[in-house]
Amino acid sequence: MSEATSPKEQETLVQDTTATPASPPVAPAPVASRGNGLAVLALLVGAAGAAAGGWGLWQLQSVEERDRLHAEQLESIRGQAQTLDQGNQALNTRLQALPSADELESRRRQLAQLQGDQQLLNQRLETVLGASRQDWRLAEAEHLLRLASLRLSALQDINSATALVQASDEILRDQDDPAAFAAREQVARSLEALRATVDPDRTGLFLQLGALREQVAQLNAQAPTFDGEGGVLNELAASNGAEQQWWQRWLETLSQYFRLDFNADRNIRPMLAGQALTQVRLALSLALEQAQWAALHGQTQVYNQALQQARDVLDAHFDLDNPNSRALRTRIDELAERPIEVKAPDLSQTLNAVQAYIESKQSARAQFDDEAQAEQALDVEDARP
């Protein structure tokens, strides 16, 4: 009876037989155990075959996936190659459109000339703008000096004129030009002359005269009185030792309105009342108002005439024994002594010096512009082929 064994078992059996020839023979295994071994062996062989088939299938799928990826990469490379070919064609077209070496040299010269012209134009523009700004500032300095001279001649305003001249000097200083030395010297002289000039307080004087006008509106005439008023009646009543009778009281009241004095040694002014008093107050107020105007404008003659007119009205219509009238007259005399006009310095020489500096600066700039234009024309002639 033959047995189906695997090659491995046969080889093991041969090795055992060769190695131990003297070993006793092994008793044969039972038939049932050999059948189970064959079944297990068959299962192992089937499992190995299934595993080999699965591995082969997986390898086949991996190959197909790599082929698909290679195909996509190949397609992408073809597209990139087409794009590169198109770019090369466009580059060739552009290279063919490029100018020649002579044309490039001609364009380079034109570009260099254009850049030079542009730089010259920028310099010219900066010069013009700077010159215009300087001209404006110098014109402002001249205008400030004119305004200061006008303030001195019209209003005699020392403080305003000093501030204007100081501003003009600052403008000349900002020029930082040695040629402005003569003009600044005249400006400095004018400044020192203005600072040494006494500036009267015209505003304060105006307000003081206004306060006097308010006192005029409250000024009243004082009723004349007589020395020994009621002396006879009082003596009569004292001698009789009795009170005054009705006719005595009536006579005393009537004596307050009129009195006959045969021994008068001075003139007695009549009392002002009603419209007459209003007219006198108005005349005095107008005289003081005229003095106010003269004080503001520095008109000494008009100021003195107005205050003299106010004194005349006050002396003619009001009694100086009245405390209000006497105080007003004293105050008018004090204000009449106040100076309102000053001798302002002359700024004409300073203005002429600044004008001469401006003219010299403009002439120098015009000459420089002519030279620059001539040089530019020569450069253009030299740049032509």
Side-chain angles (χ1 to χ4, degrees):
M1 183 175 180
S2 61
E3 296 179 359
T5 60
S6 62
K8 186 176 181 181
E9 292 177 354
Q10 292 178 1
E11 184 180 358
T12 305
L13 183 58
V14 173
Q15 292 177 358
D16 293 339
T17 304
T18 306
T20 57
S23 63
V26 181
V31 178
S33 60
R34 289 196 299 270
N36 291 334
L38 292 174
V40 172
L41 182 61
L43 288 175
L44 291 175
V45 172
W55 182 79
L57 181 60
W58 178 76
Q59 289 292 332
L60 180 61
Q61 290 179 354
S62 298
V63 171
E64 291 178 353
E65 183 68 21
R66 285 195 297 271
D67 292 341
R68 185 178 63 79
L69 292 176
H70 290 166
E72 292 179 356
Q73 292 177 358
L74 182 60
E75 203 57 40
S76 176
I77 291 172
R78 288 177 181 175
Q80 292 178 0
Q82 291 178 359
T83 304
L84 185 59
D85 292 339
Q86 294 176 358
N88 291 332
Q89 292 178 0
L91 182 59
N92 293 330
T93 303
R94 292 179 180 178
L95 290 176
Q96 293 176 0
L98 289 177
S100 61
D102 296 337
E103 293 178 353
L104 288 176
E105 183 64 22
S106 177
R107 292 183 181 180
R108 188 188 64 80
R109 289 196 300 268
Q110 293 178 359
L111 180 60
Q113 182 179 359
L114 181 61
Q115 290 177 350
D117 294 341
Q118 184 178 4
Q119 184 177 4
L120 183 62
L121 180 61
N122 291 333
Q123 294 177 356
R124 176 63 178 170
L125 181 60
E126 292 177 358
T127 303
V128 170
L129 291 178
S132 299
R133 190 179 298 108
Q134 291 179 358
D135 291 341
W136 295 339
R137 295 289 290 170
L138 291 176
E140 182 181 1
E142 181 183 1
H143 175 70
L144 291 176
L145 288 177
R146 290 181 182 276
L147 187 59
S149 179
L150 181 62
R151 297 285 293 184
L152 287 177
S153 60
L155 301 177
Q156 294 184 352
D157 191 352
I158 304 298
N159 294 330
S160 298
T162 304
L164 293 172
V165 176
Q166 181 67 36
S168 178
D169 182 66
E170 291 178 358
I171 293 175
L172 294 176
R173 182 190 62 188
D174 294 338
Q175 296 295 319
D176 195 14
D177 187 6
F181 178 80
R184 291 200 63 191
E185 183 180 7
Q186 289 295 333
V187 172
R189 291 176 180 175
S190 298
L191 278 176
E192 293 303 326
L194 288 172
R195 290 167 182 168
T197 302
V198 179
D199 187 15
D201 187 10
R202 293 190 180 90
T203 304
L205 189 58
F206 178 87
L207 296 176
Q208 293 174 13
L209 290 172
L212 293 183
R213 289 182 60 192
E214 294 179 357
Q215 293 182 6
V216 169
Q218 301 175 357
L219 192 63
N220 293 318
Q222 185 178 11
T225 57
F226 297 92
D227 296 335
E229 180 180 358
V232 177
L233 296 177
N234 291 333
E235 291 178 359
L236 182 60
S239 62
N240 294 334
E243 296 182 357
Q244 293 181 355
Q245 301 296 328
W246 63 269
W247 60 272
Q248 294 176 348
R249 291 192 298 272
W250 178 83
L251 182 61
E252 183 178 359
T253 302
L254 185 62
S255 64
Q256 296 179 1
Y257 294 95
F258 62 91
R259 176 76 62 92
L260 296 177
D261 190 2
F262 297 100
N263 297 320
D265 57 351
R266 62 186 180 89
N267 295 329
I268 299 177
R269 298 182 181 87
M271 291 184 60
L272 296 175
Q275 186 177 2
L277 181 60
T278 302
Q279 291 178 353
V280 172
R281 287 175 179 174
L282 180 59
L284 187 56
S285 178
L286 290 176
L288 294 176
E289 184 177 2
Q290 188 177 9
Q292 284 183 302
W293 178 90
L296 285 179
H297 294 81
Q299 301 292 332
T300 303
Q301 185 177 359
V302 178
Y303 179 76
N304 293 330
Q305 290 179 356
L307 291 183
Q308 183 61 40
Q309 183 179 358
R311 284 196 294 260
D312 294 341
V313 172
L314 190 62
D315 294 341
H317 299 88
F318 293 94
D319 191 357
L320 295 181
D321 293 336
N322 189 340
N324 295 333
S325 301
R326 184 171 59 255
L328 183 60
R329 173 61 187 273
T330 302
R331 188 57 181 162
I332 290 176
D333 293 338
E334 292 177 357
L335 295 180
E337 301 297 330
R338 298 278 295 274
I340 62 172
E341 186 178 3
V342 295
K343 186 177 181 181
D346 188 10
L347 300 181
S348 59
Q349 295 182 357
T350 304
L351 183 60
N352 294 333
V354 173
Q355 290 176 348
Y357 167 67
I358 294 175
E359 292 178 357
S360 63
K361 195 173 184 65
Q362 291 177 352
S363 300
R365 186 180 298 115
Q367 183 178 1
F368 176 78
D369 293 340
D370 294 339
E371 293 178 355
Q373 291 178 0
E375 184 178 357
Q376 183 180 3
L378 292 176
D379 293 339
V380 172
E381 291 292 336
D382 295 337
R384 291 179 179 178

